[in-house]
Amino acid sequence: MMRDFECKNGVMMIAGKSAVELVEEFGSPIYVCDEARIRENYRNIHGAFSRYMDTKIHYACKANTSLAVLRILEQEGSGIDAVSIGEVKTCLKAGFTPDRIMYTGVNVSDKELKEVADLGVMINIDSISEMERLAKISPQHEISFRITPGVGSGHSDKVITGSKGAKFGIPLREVIGTYARAKDLGFKIKGIHAHIGSGGQSVEPFLDMMQVIVDLVNEIKELGIDLEFIDMGGGIGVPYKPQEDEMDLNELASEITDMIEQQTDIKTLILEPGRYIVCDAVVLLTKVNDVKDAGTKKYIGCDAGFNTLIRPAFYDSFHYVAMANKFGKACVSRYDVVGPICESGDYMAHDRVLPEPVEGDIIAVYNAGAYGFSMSSNYNSRPLCGEVLVNDGKAELIREPETIEELWRHQRIPERLMK
Ligand code: LLP
């Protein structure tokens, strides 16, 4: 079931702090992050798998790269799945040592490969081209390969990554030849990796993918290569709707680890959850600026739009919304919750029953922790919003809202245009 929140005197409480006070103190829109929930989610997923076999969590930081969030996960003992040199350096800044980071890039430049290699970060190679280029840059490097398992899953076609013909990974027919070549090139070959996609809710595709991987592990062993780990990627979905079921983590963990233990000598499993760890730990609070009855539709116009949270506009994703200052109050009518961006695709929620809105009300958008802030933009020249961390009723600003002046900081106007 989707996570719900406590109500005190008609107001939504987030980690012991009132949503109304948070907006008064820190402004709107604001991402509010519940520290304890991140820790709980991390421990849940790590615990579910490590009961059965040695498991390392490599948090997929693309979901949320805020330094305070990374610090929390560093303290928990997590590793990192990073996709870019920017993510690698951000995680180093947050205190992760290079040996806790794995880099899985796609279509990366030689310059970036060299930077990552020089930092001593393990590289999960996505293509034969990347392998040949890395062999010239860092021949003895610790590597694994991302393979295309031919199995895909996800909440939208835009985030399915494992199907045959995908842009990602070594195509199945080339996997064995590629491992043989990597051995000849002198790489330290550590593992095998696949990622089927993001936000899928069923266990089966993970099992289908794992069968492909364990078969490959045994074929690779015949080449004289003993792999240390299997990395099954991320992609574990979470409920975005109140009554939606959660994926059965225990079933997933027991079946996956059983396959590995029964069919291979592999002793370590790596998992790369992003969404699972941060998604329901963050709520986006946005103030109602405007209320409109357009005849066929009623609108609640907020100060957060697809510049702040792009998932509804981009993937048609469902995010549950509630009126944080009239929490639990009777709903009177259906509304579209929309933002300040000048496009009709700018919406947060369609056709939701909510209490009667007035200007100044506060809408809470649930499940905003994964791919929320990290995908936000400056479109319509709107500065990025702030972030707050709440723990035990205490709130701390972890990201200042950007200023309008900062939008111009990297721009230059050629002198001749100034006349
Ligand atoms: N590992 C790899 C190699 C990945 O490409 C991804 C996500 C993950 C792990 C983490 O997946 P997760 O556990 O978070 O599902 N922006 C989209 C999601 C894109 C995910 C891309 N790759 C969204 O808002 O739903």
Side-chain angles (χ1 to χ4, degrees), residues 148-414:
T148 320
V151 181
S153 169
H155 67 76
S156 146
D157 286 349
K158 288 193 173 81
V159 300
I160 295 175
T161 51
S163 311
K164 191 170 178 219
K167 155 176 116 163
F168 304 95
I170 310 288
L172 269 188
R173 65 177 195 291
E174 289 178 327
V175 170
I176 299 304
T178 305
Y179 272 88
R181 171 76 177 146
K183 190 181 175 201
D184 291 346
L185 286 168
F187 283 118
K188 297 191 186 77
I189 309 168
K190 297 288 174 181
I192 183 164
H193 166 281
H195 172 70
I196 52 178
S198 188
Q201 289 281 50
S202 53
V203 169
E204 286 70 32
F206 287 95
L207 304 182
D208 294 345
M209 167 189 68
M210 191 51 75
Q211 192 54 55
V212 172
I213 293 181
V214 297
D215 289 345
L216 286 170
V217 165
N218 292 324
E219 280 187 66
I220 292 164
K221 196 177 163 67
E222 286 170 21
L223 300 172
I225 304 169
D226 277 308
L227 299 180
E228 289 173 17
F229 67 80
I230 290 175
D231 183 334
M232 62 179 277
I236 294 160
V238 300
Y240 280 84
K241 293 186 176 164
Q243 304 306 327
E244 204 177 329
D245 286 334
E246 280 170 53
M247 192 191 279
D248 187 338
L249 267 193
N250 186 52
E251 182 193 339
L252 179 69
S254 81
E255 298 207 18
I256 287 283
T257 52
D258 200 47
M259 288 171 83
I260 297 173
E261 284 172 339
Q262 299 288 325
Q263 300 179 53
T264 74
D265 308 324
I266 299 279
K267 296 280 177 275
T268 302
L269 174 64
I270 299 179
L271 239 69
E272 300 171 343
R275 190 185 313 271
Y276 183 87
I277 292 179
V278 287
C279 191
D280 70 2
V282 179
V283 173
L284 171 64
L285 298 178
T286 171
K287 215 167 188 167
V288 177
N289 284 339
D290 202 300
V291 177
K292 181 182 290 182
D293 186 343
T296 50
K297 243 182 206 280
K298 291 177 173 163
Y299 290 99
I300 302 181
C302 301
D303 59 9
F306 78 61
N307 56 318
T308 322
L309 179 74
I310 202 173
R311 302 191 72 260
F314 194 49
Y315 306 113
D316 253 322
S317 298
F318 181 98
H319 280 261
Y320 185 80
V321 295
M323 197 87 88
N325 59 321
K326 297 172 181 169
F327 208 53
K329 228 179 150 184
C331 295
V332 290
S333 197
R334 284 181 182 274
Y335 301 90
D336 273 22
V337 180
V338 296
I341 297 295
C342 293
E343 294 199 25
S344 43
D346 178 31
Y347 82 100
M348 220 92 61
H350 281 317
D351 229 14
R352 303 293 173 79
V353 287
L354 288 163
E356 177 149 19
V358 293
E359 292 80 355
D361 280 340
I362 296 161
I363 297 280
V365 185
Y366 285 42
N367 281 312
Y371 312 103
F373 187 91
S374 66
M375 291 180 80
S376 61
S377 78
N378 288 127
Y379 187 43
N380 279 197
S381 293
R382 297 211 172 266
L384 300 180
C385 72
E387 289 179 288
V388 166
L389 185 67
V390 191
N391 197 34
D392 259 347
K394 285 192 210 66
E396 293 160 292
L397 193 65
I398 57 168
R399 185 190 300 268
E400 286 179 29
E402 217 176 9
T403 63
I404 288 176
E405 289 71 23
E406 283 168 325
L407 299 180
W408 312 324
R409 87 200 123 163
H410 300 302
Q411 301 191 51
R412 303 279 180 277
I413 306 175

Side-chain angles (χ1 to χ4, degrees), residues 15-37:
K17 186 89 185 162
S18 130
V20 172
E21 280 173 28
L22 282 163
V23 166
E24 277 167 5
E25 210 173 313
F26 299 100
S28 172
I30 187 96
Y31 277 98
V32 181
C33 179
D34 173 351
E35 176 173 339
R37 186 68 177 195

